[in-house]
Amino acid sequence: MSAHPYDHGHTVAGWTGFGIAGAGTAVVGLGVCTVSGPLLAVGALIVLAALVLTWLLHLAGWGKPPGPRPREQWGWRTRDAGARRGHAGCLGCRLAGRGRPAAREVSGRVVVPAVRGDARDARPVGAGRTDG
């Protein structure tokens, strides 16, 4: 039984990324203390690898979509079934090309732009025109 009434968002992707990034920042700290450029570079690469791995795990369904989840999905080892479609409002999903709803999904109808003038009329609308 959980002591809190909401989902903290603990996931496999989050804990894995946190652990690897923590190790990377420890290496960066060691590089600062020993004034070692190679240790700073290796630590920065480990932190970058943690970011990429966390993103890949999120896309594979081991992350959490933004916002609240149903109580049955609060377990940190619960895989997200909606990850393949992408999460609305999720930067990681947008970077992967997911989570962008089509016009048909948003409004239930197809959006068609209106025709403005014909091909002979090349003047832009509103540029001194009074006919439309």
Side-chain angles (χ1 to χ4, degrees):
M1 177 85 186
S2 178
H4 52 80
Y6 52 89
D7 177 23
H8 279 293
H10 302 298
T11 62
V12 171
W15 282 113
T16 303
F18 172 77
I20 296 172
T25 55
V27 172
V28 168
L30 183 63
V32 168
C33 291
T34 61
V35 191
S36 172
L39 279 178
L40 290 171
V42 168
L45 287 174
I46 292 172
V47 171
L48 182 63
L51 176 71
V52 171
L53 180 64
T54 303
W55 180 47
L56 292 174
L57 284 171
H58 172 77
L59 294 176
W62 291 109
K64 173 189 179 302
R69 292 188 291 180
R71 184 177 280 276
E72 61 272 2
Q73 295 179 6
W74 283 10
W76 74 278
R77 287 178 269 167
T78 303
R79 197 162 186 177
D80 179 23
R84 287 202 180 271
R85 292 185 309 274
H87 305 114
C90 176
L91 176 63
C93 290
R94 283 197 312 261
L95 289 173
R98 299 179 183 176
R100 295 181 184 165
R104 182 173 308 215
E105 294 174 14
V106 172
S107 63
R109 60 181 179 213
V110 177
V111 178
V112 179
V115 178
R116 294 192 175 214
D118 50 356
R120 296 181 310 251
D121 190 3
R123 293 180 298 157
V125 174
R129 293 179 59 171
T130 58
D131 61 341

